[in-house]
Amino acid sequence: MARVVDRLLAQLPGLQAEPVYSSPNPSRSPTVIGGSGSGSATVGRRLQEPTQSEVIGVWIRVILGLSLGIMMSRWPYATTCGFPLFGYFSAILTVMLSGLWAATAAWRFRSGLAHTVALILLLYGITLAMAEVLPRTGYALEQATWLCQE
């Protein structure tokens, strides 16, 4: 069965004898599609080492999201109900989107520490949102409302 799959992969246009790296570690030798190696896990995708500017860009995204998350702990306005509450939720959504944006970039450029920090930032944003949503849906001891009473 493996020979049939290798033969069919070798017939695909553009994949004959192209090196495809199976890991971002440059000390490993490349796997050649259609040759004796097994490169079917990463067919057609070349992994390259990220440049220094790409790594800096990832860390800038992480630091921007992290600074926004830190500032959210000192939110200066009331979050009891109405428009201030929805403004707070939009800021929380921004924290979660920045965490997702940084995590995606860190995953693409293989930066493990940046990816971990970005995922923690995303989890922090989800925690902030749940701290406001749960009292308004009845899952907390204290009850709160979405809209202000006039």
Side-chain angles (χ1 to χ4, degrees):
M1 182 85 163
R3 280 184 270 148
V4 172
V5 171
D6 288 339
R7 182 178 49 85
L8 290 173
L9 286 175
Q11 292 175 358
L12 291 173
L15 293 180
Q16 290 79 18
E18 286 188 17
V20 177
Y21 294 99
S22 59
S23 89
N25 187 356
S27 64
R28 289 186 150 183
S29 63
T31 304
V32 177
I33 300 294
S36 61
S38 63
S40 62
T42 57
V43 172
R45 182 161 185 243
R46 291 180 182 212
L47 297 177
Q48 299 174 351
E49 290 294 318
T51 62
Q52 185 176 6
S53 65
E54 290 170 341
V55 172
I56 290 172
V58 167
W59 278 105
I60 287 174
R61 290 174 184 154
V62 170
I63 290 171
L64 282 174
L66 196 59
S67 64
L68 179 61
I70 290 169
M71 285 186 263
M72 288 298 294
S73 68
R74 299 290 181 194
W75 185 260
Y77 307 109
T79 59
T80 55
C81 59
F83 287 118
L85 176 66
F86 296 121
Y88 183 67
F89 273 123
S90 65
I92 290 174
L93 180 65
T94 305
V95 169
M96 291 191 305
L97 288 177
S98 67
L100 186 65
W101 180 47
T104 304
W107 180 266
R108 185 180 319 129
F109 297 119
R110 309 293 192 266
S111 179
L113 181 61
H115 187 70
T116 304
V117 172
L119 287 179
I120 290 171
L121 179 65
L122 180 63
L123 182 65
Y124 177 65
I126 292 171
T127 304
L128 287 174
M130 289 300 106
E132 295 298 324
V133 169
L134 291 179
R136 287 163 177 79
T137 56
Y139 283 105
L141 291 177
E142 60 184 54
Q143 298 295 316
T145 60
W146 293 100
L147 299 174
C148 297
Q149 301 298 327
E150 308 243 2

